[in-house]
Amino acid sequence: SFRVTNGNPQTERYSSPTYRRWGNSTEQMLKDFSAEEIAEIAGFLGVSAIQLERKGKVTLQQFEEQLMTSAFSHMTLKELIEAILNEQLETKIQKMQEKENVNRNFVQQLESILTNYPTWLQKILKCESDSRFIWQQQATILRDLEIVAKALEQHLINNQFMRLPLFAQQATGNPHAFDTNTVLGKLLVHAAFSLNKQSKAYPKNTEERVDLLATLKIVQDDLWNFVTVQGLVGYTYDSIHKVWEAANQTKSALNMPMRELLNITRVQPLFNKSVYIVENSSVASTLMDINPKAPIICTHGQVRMAGWRLLDLLDPDVAIYYAGDLDPEGLHIAQNILKRYGPRVNLWRMDVQCYQNAMSETLSDDRLAKLKSITILPNVVEQMQQNKKAAYQEAWIDLLIEDIRRNGK
């Protein structure tokens, strides 16, 4: 741990690291020391180099005791090292204890700030990858957490949709405060993820973040986020919305953005008590050609913010028929719709027969792995795992056409 020159101890490559590791009782192995260094250490300790080399180790406690007989007897070993290095030394145990104290204090402050958000608090305390940025910024992030918590509390009380820039302006005076690249923006997304019971994976892209914020009724993009509808009637309180009425009169499809859906209070089919949801836009357009009055909804893939808003507005007695691709992504969409709307949902032409008759593309291992989270249609999942193939709804479009012509199942 020390190099000795002319009877005086001097710090070398093994001094402070050894002390920092565990303190002054640590044994230092000598296998990495040169013969010259071992001889110098032996001279300082008053033992023979051969004896010390045979022993193969030395403790800092031995240095401490020998120091008391030297010109530095007025100093402890720690004080001497600190004087030479001109810095404060801490052992590894001391640093660990200090870190524990900092973390304990941080948790106490988190508990105080997030009293009304126990699920968000528990998510942070799990210290998983999505929460890492919070723990890495303990010294500065508490104030930002407090801002988000207070802003959300007032927003959830109001229970009204609000555009993100306006939400930011009210909370901070800066309409860009919650932009994606800001700490406040990241905390808001983390809060939405933690508070949403249906969220399984942390959002990876802008679309997923937009949809997640919408679960808090915070709208980030209300024009580009849309759903396509036909044969549905939208109401503003007790009055039929003129645009929806005109679309039905002219047998036209509507691309309905979230912006307009915010003004709609209720939706029902033009006739009967069923709606038909399809994942693929070309399939939806073909079905609309066959029956221009059929109540059809096209999600264009995953159900996004506008799609969920539309389905939430449907009268509670409306049956939902969903037809999607028989691949991991299509099953995931179906499962999410089933979770949200329960027994009202019927899976339309999503069976083993359709799958077996239409198997096509080979599924990658990454896509097959997604089946582990699917709990619906066990027979279809089993077939998919065995055959490692996807089946796309274009292959059984004739069956869908037949159903839509009858406007039945």
Side-chain angles (χ1 to χ4, degrees):
S1 296
F2 273 80
R3 184 172 183 176
V4 182
T5 303
N6 298 324
N8 293 318
Q10 296 182 8
T11 53
E12 190 55 273
R13 55 193 176 102
Y14 296 104
S15 57
S16 59
T18 301
Y19 185 88
R20 284 190 175 103
R21 188 173 299 168
W22 299 113
N24 62 0
S25 63
T26 298
E27 290 184 341
Q28 172 65 59
M29 307 306 291
L30 299 175
K31 62 181 180 179
D32 294 326
F33 283 69
S34 68
E36 181 184 0
E37 288 173 325
I38 292 176
E40 291 175 345
I41 294 172
F44 178 71
L45 294 177
V47 298
S48 72
I50 295 175
Q51 180 184 356
L52 185 60
E53 190 170 5
R54 187 181 299 121
K55 188 176 181 181
K57 59 186 178 182
V58 67
T59 68
L60 290 181
Q61 183 62 37
Q62 289 176 271
F63 274 89
E64 187 84 58
E65 292 171 355
Q66 192 63 25
L67 194 65
M68 304 307 336
T69 66
S70 72
F72 297 93
S73 59
H74 62 288
M75 304 177 75
T76 66
L77 178 62
K78 178 175 180 290
E79 290 170 344
L80 178 59
I81 297 173
E82 289 177 339
I84 295 172
L85 296 181
N86 195 29
E87 63 177 85
Q88 190 78 21
L89 291 183
E90 287 183 316
T91 66
K92 185 175 181 180
I93 292 175
Q94 288 173 324
K95 287 189 175 182
M96 289 170 62
Q97 291 173 341
E98 182 179 338
K99 185 176 181 180
E100 288 176 2
N101 291 336
V102 170
N103 286 343
R104 190 179 300 111
N105 182 57
F106 183 63
V107 169
Q108 290 174 349
Q109 293 184 75
L110 283 177
E111 291 172 342
S112 175
I113 293 171
L114 302 180
T115 302
N116 297 326
Y117 304 96
T119 55
W120 189 13
L121 174 63
Q122 291 306 311
K123 187 66 179 170
I124 295 174
L125 295 182
K126 287 181 180 179
C127 300
E128 295 174 337
S129 58
D130 55 79
S131 305
R132 190 172 298 139
F133 78 99
I134 297 174
W135 289 93
Q136 290 172 341
Q137 302 180 64
Q138 290 185 39
T140 59
I141 206 167
L142 287 169
R143 176 57 181 159
D144 291 328
L145 273 163
E146 191 171 8
I147 290 172
V148 176
K150 287 183 177 179
L152 273 180
E153 186 173 359
Q154 186 59 48
H155 176 69
L156 294 176
I157 290 174
N158 294 335
N159 197 31
Q160 298 290 326
F161 279 96
M162 180 178 287
R163 293 182 178 88
L164 182 61
L166 297 180
F167 175 81
Q169 177 68 33
Q170 286 190 6
T172 69
N174 177 4
H176 298 289
F178 290 95
D179 286 358
T180 305
N181 60 338
T182 66
V183 174
L184 287 173
K186 292 175 182 177
L187 285 173
L188 183 61
V189 171
H190 193 272
F193 176 68
S194 304
L195 298 174
N196 184 13
K197 295 179 181 179
Q198 293 189 347
S199 293
K200 297 294 183 183
Y202 205 70
K204 302 179 184 66
N205 53 50
T206 300
E207 280 189 337
E208 292 178 357
R209 285 192 292 270
V210 167
D211 292 337
L212 188 57
L213 291 180
T215 64
L216 297 176
K217 293 192 172 182
I218 298 174
V219 182
Q220 187 171 352
D221 185 349
D222 59 359
L223 282 175
W224 182 243
N225 199 300
F226 66 91
V227 62
T228 302
V229 303
Q230 173 195 275
L232 296 177
V233 181
Y235 291 82
T236 303
Y237 299 104
D238 295 328
S239 302
I240 296 177
H241 195 284
K242 297 298 183 181
V243 172
W244 297 63
E245 184 177 36
N248 287 321
Q249 290 173 350
T250 58
K251 299 179 182 178
S252 300
L254 283 176
N255 282 338
M256 188 57 58
M258 184 67 178
R259 171 186 166 84
E260 301 304 326
L261 285 169
L262 292 176
N263 300 317
I264 301 300
T265 56
R266 174 185 164 219
V267 174
Q268 66 177 17
L270 186 61
F271 56 88
N272 294 336
K273 284 291 184 179
S274 302
V275 296
Y276 301 88
I277 307 172
V278 291
E279 173 186 352
N280 186 287
S281 57
S282 63
V283 173
S285 189
T286 300
L287 298 179
M288 290 172 177
D289 289 341
I290 296 300
N291 190 341
K293 290 186 177 182
I296 296 172
I297 299 170
C298 180
T299 62
H300 306 282
Q302 293 287 340
V303 184
R304 299 300 180 190
M305 174 174 58
W308 290 124
R309 169 68 175 172
L310 175 68
L311 295 178
D312 287 346
L313 290 170
L314 288 171
D315 285 349
D317 60 345
V318 173
I320 297 171
Y321 291 85
Y322 173 73
D325 292 327
L326 290 173
D327 64 356
E329 294 77 18
L331 294 180
H332 181 71
I333 297 171
Q335 182 166 277
N336 285 341
I337 294 174
L338 273 166
K339 280 185 178 179
R340 191 156 179 146
Y341 304 108
R344 297 169 57 191
V345 179
N346 304 274
L347 300 183
W348 177 25
R349 299 292 182 179
M350 297 184 71
D351 50 43
V352 171
Q353 184 176 354
C354 283
Y355 175 75
Q356 291 177 335
N357 292 339
M359 288 188 295
S360 59
E361 180 186 25
T362 299
L363 293 168
S364 66
D365 290 341
D366 287 343
R367 294 182 70 191
L368 283 169
K370 296 177 182 179
L371 293 175
K372 294 178 182 178
S373 63
I374 302 299
T375 58
I376 64 170
L377 298 176
N379 294 335
V380 173
V381 171
E382 182 181 6
Q383 287 288 312
M384 202 174 296
Q385 289 171 329
Q386 290 176 0
N387 294 288
K388 300 183 179 180
K389 300 279 187 180
Y392 299 110
Q393 61 183 171
E394 288 87 347
W396 58 89
I397 194 169
D398 290 344
L399 296 175
L400 301 176
I401 289 173
E402 181 183 337
D403 294 337
I404 283 295
R405 276 203 175 108
R406 296 196 306 268
N407 195 28
K409 293 180 279 188

mmCIF file of all heavy atoms in Angstrom, residues 5-21:
data_model
loop_
_atom_site.group_PDB
_atom_site.id
_atom_site.type_symbol
_atom_site.label_atom_id
_atom_site.label_comp_id
_atom_site.label_asym_id
_atom_site.label_seq_id
_atom_site.Cartn_x
_atom_site.Cartn_y
_atom_site.Cartn_z
ATOM 1 N N THR A 5 10.801 5.284 0.730
ATOM 2 C CA THR A 5 12.080 5.787 0.229
ATOM 3 C C THR A 5 12.795 6.484 1.378
ATOM 4 O O THR A 5 12.257 7.426 1.966
ATOM 5 C CB THR A 5 11.870 6.781 -0.929
ATOM 6 O OG1 THR A 5 11.128 6.119 -1.949
ATOM 7 C CG2 THR A 5 13.204 7.221 -1.504
ATOM 8 N N ASN A 6 14.029 5.996 1.702
ATOM 9 C CA ASN A 6 14.816 6.575 2.797
ATOM 10 C C ASN A 6 14.042 6.597 4.117
ATOM 11 O O ASN A 6 14.081 7.569 4.867
ATOM 12 C CB ASN A 6 15.271 7.999 2.446
ATOM 13 C CG ASN A 6 16.168 7.994 1.215
ATOM 14 O OD1 ASN A 6 16.961 7.061 1.039
ATOM 15 N ND2 ASN A 6 16.054 9.024 0.381
ATOM 16 N N GLY A 7 13.268 5.517 4.324
ATOM 17 C CA GLY A 7 12.545 5.400 5.595
ATOM 18 C C GLY A 7 11.286 6.211 5.678
ATOM 19 O O GLY A 7 10.642 6.235 6.710
ATOM 20 N N ASN A 8 10.919 6.915 4.590
ATOM 21 C CA ASN A 8 9.708 7.742 4.609
ATOM 22 C C ASN A 8 8.636 7.138 3.714
ATOM 23 O O ASN A 8 8.903 6.815 2.559
ATOM 24 C CB ASN A 8 10.007 9.157 4.130
ATOM 25 C CG ASN A 8 10.906 9.876 5.095
ATOM 26 O OD1 ASN A 8 10.724 9.762 6.309
ATOM 27 N ND2 ASN A 8 11.890 10.590 4.567
ATOM 28 N N PRO A 9 7.408 6.969 4.208
ATOM 29 C CA PRO A 9 6.329 6.408 3.393
ATOM 30 C C PRO A 9 5.865 7.392 2.327
ATOM 31 O O PRO A 9 5.730 8.576 2.594
ATOM 32 C CB PRO A 9 5.221 6.141 4.418
ATOM 33 C CG PRO A 9 5.474 7.091 5.530
ATOM 34 C CD PRO A 9 6.958 7.302 5.585
ATOM 35 N N GLN A 10 5.637 6.878 1.101
ATOM 36 C CA GLN A 10 5.128 7.708 0.011
ATOM 37 C C GLN A 10 4.000 6.945 -0.693
ATOM 38 O O GLN A 10 4.085 5.743 -0.872
ATOM 39 C CB GLN A 10 6.241 8.029 -0.991
ATOM 40 C CG GLN A 10 7.363 8.865 -0.377
ATOM 41 C CD GLN A 10 8.421 9.217 -1.393
ATOM 42 O OE1 GLN A 10 8.238 8.958 -2.578
ATOM 43 N NE2 GLN A 10 9.508 9.816 -0.942
ATOM 44 N N THR A 11 2.960 7.645 -1.104
ATOM 45 C CA THR A 11 1.855 6.980 -1.778
ATOM 46 C C THR A 11 2.299 6.487 -3.134
ATOM 47 O O THR A 11 3.089 7.099 -3.806
ATOM 48 C CB THR A 11 0.671 7.958 -1.978
ATOM 49 O OG1 THR A 11 1.153 9.110 -2.610
ATOM 50 C CG2 THR A 11 0.009 8.282 -0.665
ATOM 51 N N GLU A 12 1.803 5.332 -3.506
ATOM 52 C CA GLU A 12 2.106 4.729 -4.799
ATOM 53 C C GLU A 12 0.813 4.125 -5.315
ATOM 54 O O GLU A 12 -0.267 4.432 -4.818
ATOM 55 C CB GLU A 12 3.230 3.695 -4.606
ATOM 56 C CG GLU A 12 3.850 3.122 -5.882
ATOM 57 C CD GLU A 12 4.371 4.171 -6.840
ATOM 58 O OE1 GLU A 12 3.555 4.628 -7.650
ATOM 59 O OE2 GLU A 12 5.561 4.526 -6.777
ATOM 60 N N ARG A 13 0.901 3.268 -6.299
ATOM 61 C CA ARG A 13 -0.300 2.786 -6.992
ATOM 62 C C ARG A 13 -1.237 1.957 -6.116
ATOM 63 O O ARG A 13 -2.377 1.718 -6.503
ATOM 64 C CB ARG A 13 0.103 1.963 -8.213
ATOM 65 C CG ARG A 13 1.045 0.803 -7.932
ATOM 66 C CD ARG A 13 1.626 0.263 -9.230
ATOM 67 N NE ARG A 13 2.605 -0.787 -8.968
ATOM 68 C CZ ARG A 13 2.367 -2.071 -9.102
ATOM 69 N NH1 ARG A 13 1.167 -2.456 -9.475
ATOM 70 N NH2 ARG A 13 3.309 -2.962 -8.866
ATOM 71 N N TYR A 14 -0.798 1.488 -4.927
ATOM 72 C CA TYR A 14 -1.651 0.642 -4.093
ATOM 73 C C TYR A 14 -2.132 1.314 -2.823
ATOM 74 O O TYR A 14 -2.703 0.675 -1.966
ATOM 75 C CB TYR A 14 -0.901 -0.644 -3.716
ATOM 76 C CG TYR A 14 -0.575 -1.495 -4.900
ATOM 77 C CD1 TYR A 14 0.712 -1.542 -5.408
ATOM 78 C CD2 TYR A 14 -1.564 -2.234 -5.531
ATOM 79 C CE1 TYR A 14 1.011 -2.309 -6.509
ATOM 80 C CE2 TYR A 14 -1.275 -3.007 -6.636
ATOM 81 C CZ TYR A 14 0.013 -3.045 -7.124
ATOM 82 O OH TYR A 14 0.302 -3.803 -8.222
ATOM 83 N N SER A 15 -1.875 2.603 -2.649
ATOM 84 C CA SER A 15 -2.199 3.240 -1.377
ATOM 85 C C SER A 15 -3.674 3.515 -1.206
ATOM 86 O O SER A 15 -4.376 2.799 -0.499
ATOM 87 C CB SER A 15 -1.383 4.517 -1.222
ATOM 88 O OG SER A 15 -1.634 5.387 -2.306
ATOM 89 N N SER A 16 -4.150 4.585 -1.848
ATOM 90 C CA SER A 16 -5.537 4.978 -1.618
ATOM 91 C C SER A 16 -6.556 3.967 -2.135
ATOM 92 O O SER A 16 -7.585 3.778 -1.497
ATOM 93 C CB SER A 16 -5.808 6.354 -2.230
ATOM 94 O OG SER A 16 -5.556 6.352 -3.611
ATOM 95 N N PRO A 17 -6.347 3.273 -3.268
ATOM 96 C CA PRO A 17 -7.361 2.296 -3.685
ATOM 97 C C PRO A 17 -7.603 1.222 -2.646
ATOM 98 O O PRO A 17 -8.733 0.806 -2.404
ATOM 99 C CB PRO A 17 -6.777 1.716 -4.975
ATOM 100 C CG PRO A 17 -5.886 2.781 -5.496
ATOM 101 C CD PRO A 17 -5.278 3.404 -4.273
ATOM 102 N N THR A 18 -6.521 0.746 -2.000
ATOM 103 C CA THR A 18 -6.661 -0.304 -0.999
ATOM 104 C C THR A 18 -7.444 0.193 0.207
ATOM 105 O O THR A 18 -8.338 -0.470 0.711
ATOM 106 C CB THR A 18 -5.271 -0.801 -0.555
ATOM 107 O OG1 THR A 18 -4.584 -1.294 -1.697
ATOM 108 C CG2 THR A 18 -5.395 -1.912 0.485
ATOM 109 N N TYR A 19 -7.095 1.393 0.682
ATOM 110 C CA TYR A 19 -7.827 1.935 1.818
ATOM 111 C C TYR A 19 -9.292 2.146 1.473
ATOM 112 O O TYR A 19 -10.184 1.832 2.257
ATOM 113 C CB TYR A 19 -7.208 3.255 2.283
ATOM 114 C CG TYR A 19 -7.880 3.769 3.529
ATOM 115 C CD1 TYR A 19 -7.441 3.382 4.781
ATOM 116 C CD2 TYR A 19 -8.999 4.604 3.428
ATOM 117 C CE1 TYR A 19 -8.078 3.819 5.924
ATOM 118 C CE2 TYR A 19 -9.644 5.030 4.565
ATOM 119 C CZ TYR A 19 -9.180 4.641 5.808
ATOM 120 O OH TYR A 19 -9.824 5.058 6.932
ATOM 121 N N ARG A 20 -9.528 2.695 0.270
ATOM 122 C CA ARG A 20 -10.897 2.996 -0.129
ATOM 123 C C ARG A 20 -11.748 1.726 -0.192
ATOM 124 O O ARG A 20 -12.952 1.766 -0.012
ATOM 125 C CB ARG A 20 -10.916 3.692 -1.489
ATOM 126 C CG ARG A 20 -10.508 5.161 -1.443
ATOM 127 C CD ARG A 20 -10.792 5.818 -2.783
ATOM 128 N NE ARG A 20 -10.523 7.236 -2.747
ATOM 129 C CZ ARG A 20 -9.436 7.791 -3.268
ATOM 130 N NH1 ARG A 20 -8.507 7.021 -3.831
ATOM 131 N NH2 ARG A 20 -9.262 9.099 -3.218
ATOM 132 N N ARG A 21 -11.082 0.603 -0.485
ATOM 133 C CA ARG A 21 -11.865 -0.610 -0.680
ATOM 134 C C ARG A 21 -12.601 -1.008 0.577
ATOM 135 O O ARG A 21 -13.803 -1.188 0.587
ATOM 136 C CB ARG A 21 -10.960 -1.745 -1.161
ATOM 137 C CG ARG A 21 -11.745 -2.987 -1.583
ATOM 138 C CD ARG A 21 -10.832 -4.026 -2.210
ATOM 139 N NE ARG A 21 -10.213 -3.486 -3.398
ATOM 140 C CZ ARG A 21 -9.199 -4.071 -4.041
ATOM 141 N NH1 ARG A 21 -8.694 -5.196 -3.583
ATOM 142 N NH2 ARG A 21 -8.694 -3.528 -5.121
#
